[in-house]
Amino acid sequence: METATVLPDEARYNIAAVERDTGLSKDTLRVWERRYGFPTPVRDQHDERLYSTDQLEKLRLLRLLIDYGHRPGKIINQSNVELAQLIASRAPEQTAPPEIAALLELLFKHDADGLRNALLQALMKQGLLRFVTETVATLNHWIGEAWLAGKIAIFDEHLYSEQIQNILRNAIIAQPGRGSAPRVLLTSLPGEKHRIGLLMVEAVLVAEGGACVALGTETPVIDIKNAAPAYNVDVVALSFSSAFTQNAALAGLGELRALLPDSIEVWGGGGALARARKAPAGTLLLRSFDDMRYALERWRVEHAQR
Amino acid sequence: METATVLPDEARYNIAAVERDTGLSKDTLRVWERRYGFPTPVRDQHDERLYSTDQLEKLRLLRLLIDYGHRPGKIINQSNVELAQLIASRAPEQTAPPEIAALLELLFKHDADGLRNALLQALMKQGLLRFVTETVATLNHWIGEAWLAGKIAIFDEHLYSEQIQNILRNAIIAQPGRGSAPRVLLTSLPGEKHRIGLLMVEAVLVAEGGACVALGTETPVIDIKNAAPAYNVDVVALSFSSAFTQNAALAGLGELRALLPDSIEVWGGGGALARARKAPAGTLLLRSFDDMRYALERWRVEHAQR
DNA sequence: AAGCCAATTCTGTCCAGGACATAATGGAAA
DNA sequence: TTTCCATTATGTCCTGGACAGAATTGGCTT
């Protein structure tokens, strides 16, 4: 009879490794164990937690479902299989438009070079403005869907994000004329890490002849306050993806509005604000790229040389 | 008599913000307070720590000196001024080379367009390889120094980071021939957010004729394990800036090595590993860009078609 | 029904203070 | 000098308690 040997890949992870790999903080891992009874890692000789591969996998599924809106307490005691079904079951089974489907197919096949070439080709054919407002916006949506349906992995999304960044930044640099007005400072608040949304806005801005001072993601409010006069901008624009709650986004806009002089406008846009009704006093909500183009036009009329 | 009004910009940071901004863990911050009596933040109405700008600044200086080899207990009770002197005394007042100083000057003046143009010009003149290994590497170093000396603000660093990304990604896309071998998967582990280092590596890789699958920053180890076969790569390369401790970087490398098949090589590089003595078994440490070029060459010799 | 507000539950993050493994240091031995 | 070992310094982990803010529920009004 065979010995029931321990599987060679029965790897054990300490709490720091699990935090690193799942993005769940040590505090969260410990409080889940206390409250819900999962995960219950074994302990080493010094009573420190050692998590199994299986637990790590379940934690990743949980993280995914929680990001999508499930509550931890409701799902934490289901099995890995049930959780995977839950993820699979939410696909709305629509189909993407054919141009988009072709791009998605390249990502499914892990064809990095093919994807880059196809995106470049779409950019050339459509021009920057249409590429951003049609192709990239739609593609983002369907990639989100594919991810939820379990059709693509996290690393595929990472690859897509990198490639889109390469292409958008390339297009931004290559934009022929440098715009002059208005000068727009573009960034996001701490907690908002979505870079592609910012780059899309930057692309539309330069395509429309504005001048963009891009600070990337997660600039603390105080630093924005100091940067705006230093770079002599006319407008500060913030992007909030749906990772932000609507209230947090509105509060951030209002806080910034209070800190900046009246001569500088404050604009906000992105998924978190798409359904917001009322902007904080003195700020402007942009619910679409068309809104932004209109806002640029309005600014120019109001500040026309007399 | 005037009221001693509270300064308007007397910002307060909670412990999570300080962890994010200094890289010191919450546990470390609390244990320093307990042992050394610094920092002693004020408390809010619910007894939670609120750190001042001044304390944040001192923590940054301490972090820097510790990275440089000082011990916390020896320096923690010195004043900001003394610590700054300690830092200054470390570098014997070198000055940046003139080409670099000219670029820094543009950043000091907040001249975003001028900086972009100057960087593009340097890239054209030097070619991608020299631009990365000489100009960008040196510039990064001096920007760090300028930040320590208080000559530039956080938002200036943000702007620089965005512009360098634009330019490097533009150059990577524009690279004429697409390389073929080895195929290298390039990313960093969760916690490591430094994007510029990764882009520099990617630029050198494509300039040297390798094929790069870039996944951006912060890919969990398990996802790297799954991505490597999916993208059919020969090598997985990880970048660790000095935000990582050397031990954490070595542990991450080792963990990845254990998960990947032997046919895939594991390389690691970046500030955290610059002074490491011994690589985990089966991994390769790259302490410079020349090391990487040499490693590419060696791989090609070993895998030459017979 | 549908919309809105208040009460309640859920959930992540913070706290204190104790413990220990490991890295760094310094001194003794080779 | 170098090597080795004992000691000290330091970061990370532990338990269990508390609370704020988000999410949900239930009741009331339109």
Side-chain angles (χ1 to χ4, degrees):
Chain A
M1 168 183 163
E2 295 279 324
T3 332
T5 48
V6 174
L7 293 174
D9 59 335
E10 187 153 337
R12 299 285 174 178
Y13 305 86
N14 66 20
I15 198 169
V18 175
E19 175 181 48
R20 197 185 59 206
D21 290 353
T22 64
L24 299 165
S25 78
K26 293 167 189 145
D27 274 324
T28 300
L29 289 166
R30 287 193 277 250
V31 88
W32 281 8
E33 183 178 345
R34 207 194 311 167
R35 286 201 188 123
Y36 310 123
F38 179 87
T40 45
V42 299
R43 302 300 183 108
D44 68 8
Q45 81 280 2
H46 200 63
D47 234 31
E48 305 202 337
R49 294 170 172 81
L50 289 178
Y51 296 83
S52 69
T53 311
D54 216 49
Q55 290 168 333
L56 192 58
E57 179 57 24
K58 180 164 170 184
L59 288 169
R60 290 184 57 241
L61 294 174
L62 288 170
R63 176 75 206 270
L64 205 75
L65 286 163
I66 289 166
D67 282 350
Y68 179 61
H70 286 265
R71 310 294 308 268
K74 295 270 174 68
I75 55 175
I76 201 164
N77 284 314
Q78 310 202 23
S79 71
N80 284 20
V81 176
E82 289 169 321
L83 293 175
Q85 283 171 350
L86 210 51
I87 290 171
S89 72
R90 78 150 296 286
E93 280 305 331
Q94 295 169 358
T95 48
E99 330 69 90
I100 302 297
L103 292 169
L104 286 171
E105 193 55 40
L106 292 169
L107 198 55
F108 294 159
K109 288 195 304 191
H110 310 301
D111 182 355
D113 284 348
L115 180 63
R116 192 197 57 243
N117 290 334
L119 287 171
L120 274 175
Q121 218 164 354
L123 169 61
M124 306 267 218
K125 192 170 140 198
Q126 304 182 312
L128 182 52
L129 204 54
R130 274 189 58 217
F131 178 68
V132 168
T133 56
E134 298 176 16
T135 303
V136 179
T138 317
L139 197 49
N140 282 347
H141 170 257
W142 284 102
I143 283 181
E145 290 291 323
W147 177 71
L148 286 167
K151 288 189 199 153
I152 62 170
I154 293 183
F155 58 78
D156 289 315
E157 256 200 318
H158 277 227
L159 180 89
Y160 165 73
S161 171
E162 283 298 301
Q163 299 227 343
I164 279 287
Q165 281 190 60
N166 280 350
I167 285 166
L168 288 179
R169 289 179 190 266
N170 178 55
I172 289 166
I173 282 262
Q175 192 65 14
R178 305 307 300 181
S180 54
R183 291 177 57 80
V184 179
L185 190 153
L186 177 65
T187 186
S188 73
L189 297 186
E192 170 58 67
K193 299 177 184 175
H194 233 265
R195 318 177 70 80
I196 296 183
L198 279 174
L199 281 174
M200 290 168 70
V201 173
E202 183 176 357
V204 171
L205 261 171
V206 302
E208 291 285 337
C212 190
V213 177
L215 297 188
T217 57
E218 305 199 79
T219 309
V221 174
I222 295 196
D223 292 297
I224 299 176
K225 176 203 146 198
N226 294 328
Y231 285 97
N232 188 30
V233 297
D234 305 305
V235 176
V236 171
L238 296 183
S239 168
F240 299 92
S241 78
S242 34
F244 251 67
T245 49
Q246 180 174 301
N247 282 343
L250 291 173
L253 275 182
E255 190 181 330
L256 192 60
R257 172 69 287 172
L259 287 173
L260 289 172
D262 286 345
S263 58
I264 298 178
E265 298 196 3
V266 175
W267 299 355
L273 295 174
R275 270 173 282 169
R277 298 185 181 173
K278 195 158 156 290
T283 69
L284 188 60
L285 295 189
L286 311 177
R287 294 184 185 77
S288 66
F289 283 110
D290 281 339
D291 274 8
M292 186 168 77
R293 296 163 71 182
Y294 178 75
L296 285 170
E297 196 45 50
R298 183 198 48 72
W299 188 93
R300 290 193 178 118
V301 170
E302 287 183 9
H303 295 76
Q305 300 296 332
R306 70 235 85 128
Chain B
M1 167 183 164
E2 294 281 322
T3 331
T5 49
V6 175
L7 293 174
D9 59 337
E10 186 154 337
R12 299 285 171 179
Y13 304 85
N14 66 18
I15 197 169
V18 175
E19 176 180 47
R20 196 188 55 212
D21 290 355
T22 65
L24 298 165
S25 78
K26 294 168 190 151
D27 274 324
T28 300
L29 289 166
R30 287 192 277 250
V31 89
W32 279 10
E33 184 177 344
R34 206 193 313 166
R35 285 202 188 123
Y36 309 123
F38 179 88
T40 46
V42 299
R43 302 302 181 107
D44 67 9
Q45 82 280 4
H46 199 61
D47 232 30
E48 305 202 338
R49 293 170 173 81
L50 289 178
Y51 296 83
S52 68
T53 311
D54 214 49
Q55 289 168 332
L56 190 60
E57 180 57 24
K58 179 162 170 184
L59 287 169
R60 283 207 194 103
L61 298 174
L62 287 170
R63 174 76 207 270
L64 190 90
L65 286 162
I66 289 165
D67 283 350
Y68 183 63
H70 287 264
R71 310 296 305 272
K74 295 272 174 64
I75 56 175
I76 202 165
N77 285 313
Q78 309 203 24
S79 71
N80 284 21
V81 176
E82 288 168 321
L83 293 174
Q85 284 171 349
L86 213 49
I87 289 168
S89 70
R90 175 186 60 94
E93 274 307 324
Q94 297 172 352
T95 47
E99 328 71 90
I100 302 298
L103 293 169
L104 287 171
E105 193 54 42
L106 292 168
L107 198 56
F108 296 159
K109 287 194 304 192
H110 310 300
D111 181 356
D113 284 347
L115 180 63
R116 192 197 59 241
N117 290 334
L119 287 170
L120 274 174
Q121 217 165 356
L123 169 61
M124 306 266 220
K125 190 169 141 198
Q126 303 182 312
L128 182 52
L129 203 55
R130 273 188 60 218
F131 178 68
V132 168
T133 57
E134 296 175 17
T135 303
V136 179
T138 316
L139 195 49
N140 283 346
H141 170 257
W142 284 103
I143 283 180
E145 292 285 327
W147 179 71
L148 285 168
K151 288 190 201 156
I152 62 173
I154 293 183
F155 58 78
D156 289 317
E157 261 198 313
H158 276 229
L159 180 89
Y160 165 72
S161 172
E162 284 297 300
Q163 299 230 340
I164 278 286
Q165 281 191 59
N166 279 349
I167 284 167
L168 287 179
R169 290 180 189 265
N170 178 55
I172 288 166
I173 282 264
Q175 193 64 14
R178 307 306 301 182
S180 56
R183 290 176 58 79
V184 179
L185 190 153
L186 178 65
T187 187
S188 73
L189 297 187
E192 170 58 66
K193 298 174 185 175
H194 259 256
R195 320 178 72 82
I196 296 183
L198 279 174
L199 282 174
M200 290 168 72
V201 173
E202 184 176 356
V204 170
L205 262 170
V206 302
E208 291 284 335
C212 191
V213 177
L215 298 188
T217 56
E218 305 199 80
T219 309
V221 175
I222 298 193
D223 292 296
I224 300 176
K225 177 204 150 198
N226 295 328
Y231 284 97
N232 189 30
V233 298
D234 306 304
V235 175
V236 171
L238 296 181
S239 168
F240 300 92
S241 78
S242 37
F244 252 67
T245 57
Q246 180 173 303
N247 280 341
L250 291 172
L253 274 182
E255 194 181 320
L256 190 61
R257 172 70 284 173
L259 289 173
L260 288 173
D262 286 346
S263 57
I264 298 177
E265 298 195 5
V266 175
W267 299 354
L273 295 172
R275 268 176 278 171
R277 297 185 183 171
K278 199 158 152 288
T283 69
L284 189 59
L285 295 188
L286 310 177
R287 293 184 185 77
S288 66
F289 283 110
D290 281 339
D291 273 9
M292 186 169 76
R293 297 164 71 183
Y294 177 76
L296 286 170
E297 195 46 49
R298 183 196 49 70
W299 188 92
R300 290 191 178 120
V301 169
E302 285 182 11
H303 295 76
Q305 301 295 332
R306 68 236 90 121

